[in-house]
Amino acid sequence: MNKPLSFYRPYFLSKTMSFLRRRNSTDSSKTRIADPNIEKDGADDGDKKKDQYKIPQRRNSGSKKWSCWDNCCWFIGFICSIWWFCLFLYNTMPDSIPQFVTMAITGPLPDPPGVKLRKEGLTANHPVVLVPGVVTGGLELWEGRHCAEGLLGKRLWGGSFGEFYKRPLCWLEHISLDNDTGFDPPGIRVRPVTGLVAADYFATGYFVWAVVIANLAHIGYEEKSLYMAAYDWRLSFQNTEIRDQSLTRIKSNIELLVATHGGKKVVVLPHSMGVQYFLHFMKWVETPAPRGGGGGPDWSAKHIKAIMNIGAPFLGSPKSIALHFSIEVRDIAALRAQAPGLLDKDVLGLQTFKHLMRMFRTWDATFSMIPKGGETIWGGLDWSPETETVNNSAKKGTDNSTRNTGGNGNICDTKGVNYGRLISFNKDWAETHSSKIERVDFKHVAKGDKLTNSSNCDIWLEYHEMGNRAIKAVADHKVYTAGSILDLLHYVAPKLMARGASHFSYGIADDLDDPKYDQYKYWSNPLETKLPNAPDMEIYSLYGVGLPTERGYIYKVAPPSDCSIPFQIDTSVDGDSEDSCLRGGVFSGDGDETVPIISAGFMCAKGWRGKTRFNPSGIRTYNREYKHAPPANLLEGRGTQSGSHVDLLGNFALIEDVLRVAAGATGEDIGGDRVYSDIFKWSERINIKL
Amino acid sequence: MASNFLRLRKPYYVESTINCSSSSDQKLVNLSFGIDETRNQTKKRQAKEHHGRRSCLDSCCWVTGYLCTTWWLLLFLYHCCLPFTVVHEVPELMPAVRLKREGLTGIHPVVLVPGIVTGGLELWEGKPCADGLFRKRLWGGGGFTQLLKRPLCWLEHLSLHNETGLDPPGIRVRPVPGLFGADYSAPGYFVWDVLVKNLAKIGYEGKNLHMAAYDWRLSFQNTEVRDRALSRLKSKIELMYRANGNKKVVVVPHSMGVAYFLHFLKWVETPPPMGGGGGLGWCAEHIKAIVNIGPSFLGVPKAVSNILSAEGKDVAYFRAMVPGVLDSGTLGLRALEHVMRVSRTWDSVVSLMPKGGETIWGNMDWSPEEEHVCDFSKKRYFRLSPSDNNVNKSNAKQVFRVKDPVKYGRIISFGKAASVLHSSQLPTAVLKEILHMSASRNFNSSCGEAWTEYDEMSRESIQKIGAADKAYTATTLFDLLRFVAPKMMNRTEAHFSHGIADNLDDPKYNHYKFWSNPLEMKLPDAPNMEIYCSYGVGIPTERSYVYKLSPSNKCKRIPYQIDTSVDGEDRSCLKSGVYFADGDESVPVLSAGFMCAKGWKGRTRFNPSGINTYVREYQSKPLTSGIKSMAHVDIMGNIALIEDILRVAAGATGEEIGGNKIYSDILRMSERINLRL
């Protein structure tokens, strides 16, 4: 009976409550209505108590009926208030306190390398050019479709991903390129962000170059002596020049840096795919004007002191194959294994994978990451540079038992692993000797036997034009090496590869003087270009080691369903022993989680070492490896000794090397090679004409 | 048992709420229960008690929670619905949409040159108090929050060195590069944003649109010395020229950027050690047009009051409204003194001082604007019917011209009398006297560390200068400033000059301090180039000031302030101690338009190659939220202006967009200025 009253009660503040109480005592009509019921309730208790609680009753019940809803409100209000209070405290607090706290917990932090070297008296000397890699550079919108109205100048990639998280399909439409031309679709202009902000942070708080920049600033660098060579990392390298004149801009900016620094040459820091981009740039700048930059053959010698390649995928990365083949990498495959339905089924009609795959396949630049050099570099059916021959495998096994103390760099048991087989369609085929595998040629199997209902697929993928027979034929070929993988990709995605093949090449040149190598598609492949004639230049390869890196995959044919991607990594396959390199269908090797050592280190360890045909002027090369050590505790964030592909840019040892070189040191000054892995031994095994 | 408990609970509960704190009653009640129940009860009671004590705090929490929840709910709904409700951009703000339909596309690369104060600054190296601000904005964007959090630290980092005019040791503050560097100097204040968006619509993007960010605190030559800003600009223009199929660039400088770009034009022609070594033909080869927006070619009087007393019109008003706040160092703030100390280290402020002296700005008894009518509301009314406004206006003028003309020439006068009396009635040659007296400057040691140079002046000289009946023109002003701020003037006069050249071929004019003064430099030899002066008119603009001695006699206080008590009659140009003239709120028409209207018109000694000049005025209409606003900064969002810029960038010439478009008296004013051309 007093519910209606008590229901409204909480909506008044205490003051109004007291006011109401007073009013109620005079205005007795309400109480009279309430009274009889109360009397019924408390009939046993006698009259005395009735009088006592007649008036305050309402107040009580009001408090009592401070219902769940009110409590929730109260709770939220409480939390909010406390949150705001803390926020206020946090904002008024001097910024040095977090540092204090960190120091109290972890002990004094080591000085960042910039501060340390500044105390040593290092100062800014050579201007520095930063070349970001794939994915890490920001992209912003300059012209968009209707759905992107009002987002001009907002970041489409990087940062907070603009407003686009709200409209994913719109985002996909804008970030994809045209499937035929490899440029923007008509009506859309997405351009790289310029300036240091392009790639200092990828997303809020996730540093890419920020730590390097901060440390450079400590020894006196600033905007005028730093240049971020931002480019659209989705386009093929030559297309960045055609569309944005990116190469011309880099050339002009490097010339400006040299001119405004009294002729001091620049130190270039390319990261990840930026490494290949810069190789392309160096060939481009030498080539005469219509096709190239017309800088003349000694442009590099005049303008570049050193190229410090960070996490360099000179020879590509197997990861890109899995991405092209089935848009999977280890982590995604593992996720799929955990929650089988989630990613496969078209819950909510999302078809995330297919969308992503289509987007990914329009990005020409990703072709640059396909393994280069074929079986010569990546190993054949029965050998690979990372593993010793079968005869020695027993000995190797014993080595491995002591690897923790010996520190020979292997991160897993490589026994019996055939890294050369980048894709195998069964665990057995991944392991049996090649002579016992009977492979069926797939190239001549006709396609066109359409998948059932594939016409219903609203997302177009070239897989839909294959057929069951073709898919079976691909699986029947069983094992693919770096050489045959190209055939595979050409088979499953002919249009895509036709576009990619006109911009990139993956072979090894027999005769570098052949005039065909003047074509730009060879420029980013270190095995098909000569380094410029710049004997004073130095080339470093700085990369992380000690992390399991994808090196080969075991695939299976996915259970047939409409419109899905027909191949998947077979996550159920695991190695025999605890520390087997095979886990979740992925063979891991040593590297920085993305780029295997062989790709990052081979060129500097052997391909360019001394005077070779790839390096006719004898540019000095140095291999600098950084052994991965996980962050000691959470407060260290992503660690100061990390070896992983991107976190390496926050590695203090690497930054110190970079700063020293930027301040004028040579490779010998900073200690020449520093190698933890077996890269030199592996390079020995690679049989390439130099 | 349970029913018993329930029944009994009520009275107890009632009591406890009647008298929350009296536990004795409850104890009595409790005693009547069994032990088990007591324990049970106690727990419940505590809970109930808690409920019972819904105090003010709880209610507050509740209300906050309620509000928060509602807010979140609404926010959630808003965000859910937003993608479906199509957000259209205000069509009026996008003239580019219309022009694109006409088939306009961007042809010439565009370089934007921001003005003073509108560019962002970020920290590259700082004192310990600025920890954690590395590469964060100090000026522009979110930078102003730092002002609130650590004001002194912020001021310290924005100051420059008092003698060198460069960074103080241990501090490096650098301009923010990139298109969005000058975008929002303060939240909600669009500077370049609308223009950039419109340019983007007709096809511009990073490769053919460049923002020439520079440190606007430094003197122009120092931006090159420290940051290589001029070299970078040159290289950028050359790159854009080449990368866009040898199309010349269109330069759009704003405010002080105008003077900066004049400086650049001379710098680029000068051979290397001092200049850029581009050769004499560089401008002809690379520049199609310079569209100056709100140009402060001949300086602004505002800069004078800024230097003298760190006041602008707005600050003066504010002081009049709330007398105590700014003056009475309450809270130890002394904001103005701080502002003055910082802004006096900025050399660039001096570049904005009126140039051309009495010839341009008028002397004691004469000024080019003397016929100006100050009834702005009236004037706007007339201009709304623009058909033949010249006739209209001159009629209006005859009607209203009853009083003596305003003596705008006296940029600073002490006391109202000094601003109106005829010069013969004023004492003469006062300044000379004072200057002689300057030997007797003495340090007022009791004030401790000197903050501003005023602290180094003796009391008598301050008073002597500020004595009533003294007025200073654009020429004598510099004597005054040299006296009150000798160090600053020493430093800056090596970088800027404010005179008029007699003989432009004199080799002394090769020095960089003359480059940014249009009256002491020749335009480059580029007959095909075009120069536009685009500015807003119809807004009262500060033109001269009435000063008084500030009442406070204490140390570290600015001894002069604008006398806000002085007002003219109705429709007078004098309001709160400030004489207003026509302009765009910051720059008087005279400064913005004279060079294009007369100084460079045709073939003059300042413009030997006969570069075409156009005056494009944008009149103020009754405001509809910035869209047509004319004010100095807001003009960047003016659609007529944007349309002009887009057309020029798409290849149109000045004649094609309609030649001169004049609403103000600029031609007549220019006529009155007697300058040898």
Side-chain angles (χ1 to χ4, degrees):
Chain A
M1 54 77 232
N2 50 11
K3 244 180 195 163
L5 282 173
S6 60
F7 184 75
Y8 290 111
R9 180 61 46 102
Y11 293 90
F12 299 109
L13 295 179
S14 52
K15 269 185 189 171
T16 50
M17 282 165 90
S18 63
F19 166 72
L20 271 178
R21 227 183 299 136
R22 231 178 291 131
R23 202 189 58 181
N24 281 349
S25 56
T26 50
D27 173 19
S28 57
S29 64
K30 270 185 192 167
T31 43
R32 237 176 257 146
I33 296 166
D35 276 346
N37 294 311
I38 296 166
E39 276 162 7
K40 250 181 237 165
D41 274 356
D44 301 326
D45 295 321
D47 294 335
K48 271 184 271 170
K49 277 169 187 169
K50 251 186 272 167
D51 291 330
Q52 273 184 351
Y53 65 71
K54 198 192 286 173
I55 293 156
Q57 161 78 42
R58 199 160 294 112
R59 185 165 178 264
N60 283 333
S61 53
S63 317
K64 190 178 75 193
K65 295 284 180 177
W66 194 288
S67 64
C68 173
W69 166 244
D70 298 308
N71 277 320
C72 281
C73 278
W74 179 84
F75 186 68
I76 292 171
F78 188 66
I79 300 277
C80 279
S81 310
I82 290 186
W83 174 249
W84 288 332
F85 184 66
C86 290
L87 213 66
F88 173 75
L89 281 185
Y90 176 77
N91 276 324
T92 47
M93 166 179 83
D95 283 353
S96 51
I97 285 189
Q99 222 177 347
F100 267 135
V101 176
T102 318
M103 283 220 310
I105 297 172
T106 63
L109 292 170
D111 270 347
V115 176
K116 188 179 115 190
L117 295 179
R118 185 189 201 170
K119 282 178 196 150
E120 281 180 25
L122 251 64
T123 50
N125 193 358
H126 295 275
V128 172
V129 176
L130 313 172
V131 187
V134 75
V135 174
T136 47
L139 299 172
E140 62 192 8
L141 185 73
W142 279 89
E143 184 182 343
R145 295 266 162 82
H146 194 65
C147 66
E149 196 98 20
L151 296 182
L152 187 112
K154 295 263 171 23
R155 280 204 182 191
L156 212 61
W157 188 271
S160 55
F161 285 85
E163 305 277 311
F164 280 90
Y165 59 92
K166 282 183 221 152
R167 1 185 163 167
L169 284 179
C170 183
W171 181 79
L172 277 173
E173 184 185 351
H174 283 80
I175 203 89
S176 300
L177 296 172
D178 190 293
N179 216 357
D180 294 323
T181 60
F183 287 108
D184 287 306
I188 290 176
R189 280 185 294 146
V190 174
R191 297 288 179 267
V193 178
T194 52
L196 292 179
V197 287
D200 53 352
Y201 289 94
F202 173 58
T204 317
Y206 189 87
F207 72 81
V208 180
W209 288 100
V211 181
V212 174
I213 295 172
N215 281 292
L216 284 168
H218 278 306
I219 63 165
Y221 281 90
E222 55 195 62
E223 191 82 37
K224 71 172 171 190
S225 37
L226 287 174
Y227 170 61
M228 178 76 77
Y231 58 98
D232 190 335
W233 45 263
R234 300 171 303 158
L235 266 57
S236 78
F237 301 157
Q238 192 66 11
N239 279 349
T240 62
E241 169 65 12
I242 292 170
R243 196 192 71 181
D244 298 337
Q245 280 87 43
S246 294
L247 298 172
T248 312
R249 286 157 70 136
I250 294 175
K251 172 170 176 262
S252 156
N253 273 296
I254 290 180
E255 284 167 355
L256 172 68
L257 283 174
V258 173
T260 54
H261 286 78
K264 292 218 176 82
K265 299 183 209 170
V266 299
V267 171
V268 186
L269 304 179
H271 174 237
S272 184
M273 193 180 80
V275 167
Q276 296 191 15
Y277 191 72
F278 201 75
L279 282 181
H280 187 96
F281 170 78
M282 283 196 295
K283 289 304 280 185
W284 173 87
V285 85
E286 287 183 347
T287 309
R291 288 182 308 122
D298 58 348
W299 192 92
S300 300
K302 275 193 284 190
H303 292 93
I304 302 175
K305 172 187 189 289
I307 304 173
M308 306 189 80
N309 302 292
I310 301 171
F314 280 119
L315 303 175
S317 160
K319 213 174 191 170
S320 68
I321 295 173
L323 280 169
H324 271 292
F325 198 52
S326 68
I327 191 85
E328 288 178 305
V329 284
R330 185 176 46 197
D331 306 327
I332 295 178
L335 184 66
R336 164 175 293 172
Q338 306 251 306
L342 188 67
L343 292 174
D344 294 326
K345 292 221 186 81
D346 291 341
V347 220
L348 306 172
L350 283 177
Q351 297 183 311
T352 322
F353 269 86
K354 281 123 262 176
H355 276 298
L356 285 178
M357 182 162 202
R358 203 177 124 200
M359 170 183 90
F360 185 78
R361 283 193 170 182
T362 65
W363 293 349
D364 287 353
T366 54
F367 294 111
S368 68
M369 304 291 277
I370 289 174
K372 292 169 184 170
E375 299 189 6
T376 316
I377 301 289
W378 295 93
L381 286 172
D382 293 316
W383 78 277
S384 69
E386 286 105 323
T387 45
E388 309 214 359
T389 44
V390 184
N391 304 339
N392 297 338
S393 65
K395 199 184 111 208
K396 187 84 183 177
T398 53
D399 278 354
N400 282 336
S401 58
T402 57
R403 74 194 151 82
N404 287 335
T405 48
N408 87 358
N410 278 339
I411 52 152
C412 58
D413 184 2
T414 57
K415 184 180 164 194
V417 173
N418 289 313
Y419 281 129
R421 305 177 186 186
L422 291 182
I423 287 185
S424 7
F425 270 91
N426 193 322
K427 190 185 173 192
D428 294 336
W429 291 326
E431 287 171 356
T432 33
H433 193 266
S434 62
S435 55
K436 292 169 201 153
I437 302 178
E438 194 182 314
R439 294 202 289 174
V440 182
D441 192 11
F442 59 89
K443 278 183 243 174
H444 304 297
V445 177
K447 294 192 223 171
D449 163 24
K450 287 212 168 189
L451 285 175
T452 43
N453 297 333
S454 64
S455 53
N456 295 344
C457 300
D458 53 343
I459 304 161
W460 179 85
L461 285 177
E462 286 184 281
Y463 278 132
H464 302 144
E465 293 176 359
M466 290 174 66
N468 289 330
R469 225 148 40 93
I471 290 172
K472 186 159 179 305
V474 166
D476 280 346
H477 191 252
K478 291 166 189 150
V479 173
Y480 296 87
T481 63
S484 53
I485 208 109
L486 287 172
D487 296 331
L488 173 66
L489 287 176
H490 269 295
Y491 183 69
V492 300
K495 278 196 196 165
L496 171 91
M497 286 306 287
R499 207 177 69 231
S502 64
H503 286 289
F504 298 101
S505 168
Y506 313 102
I508 299 178
D510 287 328
D511 175 15
L512 280 165
D513 294 323
D514 190 333
K516 79 166 183 177
Y517 289 112
D518 289 341
Q519 224 237 319
Y520 61 77
K521 77 172 189 176
Y522 299 104
W523 290 348
S524 61
N525 181 354
L527 298 173
E528 290 177 309
T529 50
K530 284 189 229 173
L531 286 180
N533 179 25
D536 293 333
M537 205 168 88
E538 289 176 324
I539 295 181
Y540 298 79
S541 187
L542 318 170
Y543 52 92
V545 296
L547 283 165
T549 307
E550 289 152 74
R551 183 67 173 78
Y553 300 91
I554 293 183
Y555 265 87
K556 65 177 178 191
V557 177
S561 73
D562 302 346
C563 309
S564 67
I565 299 165
F567 306 105
Q568 284 183 359
I569 294 176
D570 189 352
T571 47
S572 63
V573 180
D574 270 319
D576 305 322
S577 58
E578 185 79 343
D579 55 354
S580 164
C581 285
L582 175 60
R583 183 159 295 201
V586 178
F587 285 105
S588 300
D590 198 355
D592 67 0
E593 232 168 8
T594 301
V595 181
I597 289 178
I598 198 77
S599 172
F602 172 72
M603 288 317 291
C604 286
K606 186 174 177 195
W608 288 331
R609 186 67 43 123
K611 254 188 221 277
T612 69
R613 65 192 181 106
F614 302 111
N615 178 10
S617 63
I619 295 169
R620 269 154 301 143
T621 60
Y622 301 95
N623 278 54
R624 307 276 297 173
E625 295 185 348
Y626 303 91
K627 206 168 176 57
H628 176 75
N633 52 45
L634 278 177
L635 289 167
E636 260 185 39
R638 286 155 66 197
T640 56
Q641 300 172 53
S642 176
S644 97
H645 193 57
V646 175
D647 295 352
L648 186 62
L649 289 170
N651 185 309
F652 278 7
L654 175 130
I655 293 174
E656 187 174 331
D657 287 348
V658 167
L659 294 190
R660 285 190 190 281
V661 172
T666 64
E668 295 306 327
D669 296 340
I670 64 168
D673 289 324
R674 197 182 62 174
V675 173
Y676 299 100
S677 69
D678 292 335
I679 179 67
F680 286 109
K681 214 196 294 175
W682 296 346
S683 304
E684 276 314 301
R685 292 200 199 110
I686 292 174
N687 181 21
I688 191 171
K689 181 162 71 84
L690 291 175
Chain B
M1 190 68 162
S3 63
N4 187 23
F5 164 68
L6 272 176
R7 235 180 294 127
L8 280 170
R9 198 185 53 170
K10 265 177 199 162
Y12 137 70
Y13 191 37
V14 170
E15 278 163 7
S16 72
T17 42
I18 290 172
N19 193 353
C20 284
S21 55
S22 83
S23 55
S24 56
D25 282 359
Q26 290 153 27
K27 269 175 197 159
L28 284 173
V29 175
N30 279 340
L31 283 175
S32 66
F33 287 92
I35 299 165
D36 283 2
E37 275 164 88
T38 321
R39 204 186 294 139
N40 213 344
Q41 197 84 18
T42 337
K43 268 186 206 159
K44 298 223 167 184
R45 192 199 54 194
Q46 278 163 355
K48 291 279 138 58
E49 236 177 313
H50 183 68
H51 275 264
R53 279 195 203 134
R54 290 257 172 224
S55 60
C56 175
L57 193 69
D58 291 320
S59 301
C60 281
C61 279
W62 179 81
V63 169
T64 334
Y66 186 70
L67 290 178
C68 279
T69 320
T70 324
W71 174 246
W72 287 336
L73 203 70
L74 289 175
L75 210 68
F76 177 71
L77 284 177
Y78 174 74
H79 278 284
C80 282
C81 298
L82 195 65
F84 304 111
T85 60
V86 184
V87 190
H88 279 293
E89 281 176 15
V90 195
E92 295 133 276
L93 270 179
M94 300 306 260
V97 177
R98 182 165 43 85
L99 295 179
K100 197 184 179 187
R101 252 182 261 130
E102 285 178 21
L104 221 68
T105 48
I107 292 174
H108 296 277
V110 172
V111 175
L112 310 173
V113 186
I116 193 168
V117 174
T118 50
L121 298 172
E122 63 186 10
L123 185 74
W124 276 81
E125 183 182 344
K127 297 268 161 74
C129 72
D131 260 353
L133 292 182
F134 175 68
R135 288 190 55 226
K136 296 261 164 49
R137 292 260 179 120
L138 287 187
W139 187 278
F144 298 113
T145 51
Q146 295 307 325
L147 166 68
L148 298 177
K149 270 171 83 174
R150 25 192 152 173
L152 286 180
C153 182
W154 186 79
L155 285 171
E156 182 186 355
H157 283 82
L158 278 181
S159 306
L160 295 172
H161 193 271
N162 219 350
E163 276 155 34
T164 60
L166 296 171
D167 285 311
I171 291 177
R172 280 185 291 153
V173 174
R174 296 288 179 267
V176 182
L179 267 178
F180 299 97
D183 239 6
Y184 288 93
S185 80
Y189 219 61
F190 53 76
V191 181
W192 293 96
D193 193 49
V194 182
L195 180 58
V196 169
K197 279 189 174 148
N198 278 289
L199 285 168
K201 272 270 184 319
I202 62 163
Y204 282 92
E205 59 193 47
K207 69 174 173 187
N208 46 14
L209 184 57
H210 175 66
M211 176 77 74
Y214 60 98
D215 191 333
W216 45 263
R217 303 170 302 159
L218 264 55
S219 77
F220 302 153
Q221 192 67 10
N222 275 345
T223 63
E224 169 66 11
V225 170
R226 198 192 70 179
D227 296 338
R228 303 271 163 210
L230 297 172
S231 302
R232 287 159 68 132
L233 182 56
K234 171 170 176 262
S235 147
K236 200 77 201 179
I237 290 179
E238 286 169 353
L239 168 66
M240 285 167 70
Y241 172 73
R242 263 184 287 122
N244 289 285
N246 293 359
K247 290 272 182 289
K248 298 184 200 173
V249 299
V250 171
V251 185
V252 184
H254 173 232
S255 180
M256 190 181 82
V258 164
Y260 188 71
F261 200 72
L262 281 183
H263 186 95
F264 172 78
L265 289 180
K266 292 303 282 183
W267 174 86
V268 84
E269 287 185 340
T270 309
M274 202 197 272
L280 290 177
W282 193 92
C283 299
E285 194 189 338
H286 292 94
I287 299 175
K288 173 189 189 291
I290 305 174
V291 185
N292 300 295
I293 302 177
S296 54
F297 278 122
L298 303 176
V300 287
K302 216 176 195 172
V304 179
S305 71
N306 209 312
I307 290 174
L308 201 61
S309 67
E311 286 176 307
K313 176 191 59 179
D314 308 324
V315 179
Y317 278 152
F318 186 60
R319 164 174 294 170
M321 309 264 273
V322 204
V325 176
L326 288 177
D327 295 325
S328 65
T330 19
L331 307 171
L333 280 178
R334 290 204 290 250
L336 279 185
E337 282 77 0
H338 278 295
V339 169
M340 169 167 240
R341 200 158 66 108
V342 172
S343 68
R344 278 201 178 179
T345 65
W346 295 346
D347 288 354
S348 61
V349 176
V350 178
S351 79
L352 290 170
M353 296 278 288
K355 290 166 192 165
E358 297 185 1
T359 317
I360 300 288
W361 295 93
N363 59 21
M364 295 296 266
D365 293 316
W366 166 88
S367 75
E369 290 130 315
E370 58 195 357
E371 284 186 5
H372 179 66
V373 179
C374 291
D375 190 351
F376 282 93
S377 56
K378 204 81 187 167
K379 210 159 174 180
R380 264 182 219 150
Y381 175 72
F382 276 118
R383 281 174 187 175
L384 276 178
S385 55
S387 52
D388 47 3
N389 55 38
N390 272 331
V391 187
N392 225 338
K393 229 184 316 158
S394 44
N395 287 345
K397 239 150 240 159
Q398 252 99 66
V399 173
F400 288 117
R401 250 190 80 207
V402 281
K403 290 170 298 219
D404 270 351
V406 178
K407 295 183 171 55
Y408 283 122
R410 305 175 187 180
I411 288 179
I412 299 285
S413 22
F414 282 94
K416 189 184 175 187
S419 74
V420 288
L421 289 175
H422 193 265
S423 60
S424 55
Q425 290 162 273
L426 292 174
T428 48
V430 272
L431 205 71
K432 293 268 160 358
E433 249 172 64
I434 298 167
L435 289 179
H436 282 301
M437 206 180 67
S438 64
S440 71
R441 304 164 127 248
N442 58 337
F443 286 86
N444 196 341
S445 53
S446 63
C447 283
E449 189 200 357
W451 270 32
T452 59
E453 288 185 87
Y454 282 130
D455 297 338
E456 292 170 15
M457 287 170 65
S458 67
R459 211 54 232 174
E460 311 93 80
S461 49
I462 285 176
Q463 260 148 7
K464 209 146 209 166
I465 287 173
D469 308 339
K470 293 208 179 65
Y472 300 90
T473 65
T475 306
T476 51
L477 195 63
F478 284 92
D479 299 328
L480 171 69
L481 288 178
R482 263 175 226 127
F483 184 70
V484 300
K487 279 189 200 159
M488 181 191 74
M489 292 308 280
N490 258 345
R491 193 181 73 229
T492 53
E493 287 198 322
H495 288 286
F496 297 107
S497 167
H498 300 87
I500 298 178
D502 286 327
N503 175 15
L504 278 165
D505 294 322
D506 191 331
K508 82 167 179 173
Y509 288 112
N510 289 335
H511 191 267
Y512 61 77
K513 77 176 189 174
F514 299 105
W515 292 346
S516 61
N517 182 355
L519 298 172
E520 288 176 311
M521 53 103 55
K522 279 191 236 174
L523 285 182
D525 178 24
N528 293 323
M529 205 167 88
E530 290 177 325
I531 295 181
Y532 297 80
C533 293
S534 310
Y535 51 90
V537 293
I539 297 180
T541 307
E542 291 156 70
R543 179 65 174 78
S544 56
Y545 301 90
V546 179
Y547 265 81
K548 67 175 181 195
L549 271 176
S550 77
S552 142
N553 220 4
K554 278 179 258 163
C555 304
K556 297 183 181 177
R557 208 33 62 79
I558 299 169
Y560 310 113
Q561 50 180 243
I562 296 176
D563 191 350
T564 47
S565 63
V566 181
D567 264 316
E569 302 129 63
D570 254 5
R571 296 209 285 256
S572 154
C573 297
L574 176 61
K575 202 173 255 181
S576 301
V578 182
Y579 283 99
F580 290 99
D582 199 1
D584 67 357
E585 208 173 20
S586 290
V587 184
V589 169
L590 181 67
S591 168
F594 173 73
M595 289 317 290
C596 287
K598 187 173 176 194
W600 287 331
K601 194 85 193 172
R603 238 175 239 269
T604 69
R605 62 191 182 108
F606 301 110
N607 179 11
S609 62
I611 296 170
N612 282 330
T613 59
Y614 301 96
V615 178
R616 305 282 294 174
E617 296 187 343
Y618 303 91
Q619 63 175 336
S620 171
K621 292 199 177 134
L623 287 183
T624 50
S625 80
I627 290 173
K628 302 232 172 180
S629 173
M630 282 320 76
H632 190 59
V633 174
D634 294 344
I635 192 178
M636 311 286 270
N638 180 277
I639 54 162
L641 170 76
I642 288 174
E643 191 176 329
D644 286 350
I645 295 175
L646 295 184
R647 285 191 188 280
V648 171
T653 63
E655 292 306 327
E656 282 162 19
I657 62 167
N660 286 345
K661 190 174 75 173
I662 296 177
Y663 298 99
S664 71
D665 290 338
I666 180 66
L667 292 178
R668 208 173 322 188
M669 287 181 206
S670 308
E671 275 314 301
R672 285 196 210 106
I673 292 174
N674 179 22
L675 181 68
R676 187 167 61 83
L677 294 175

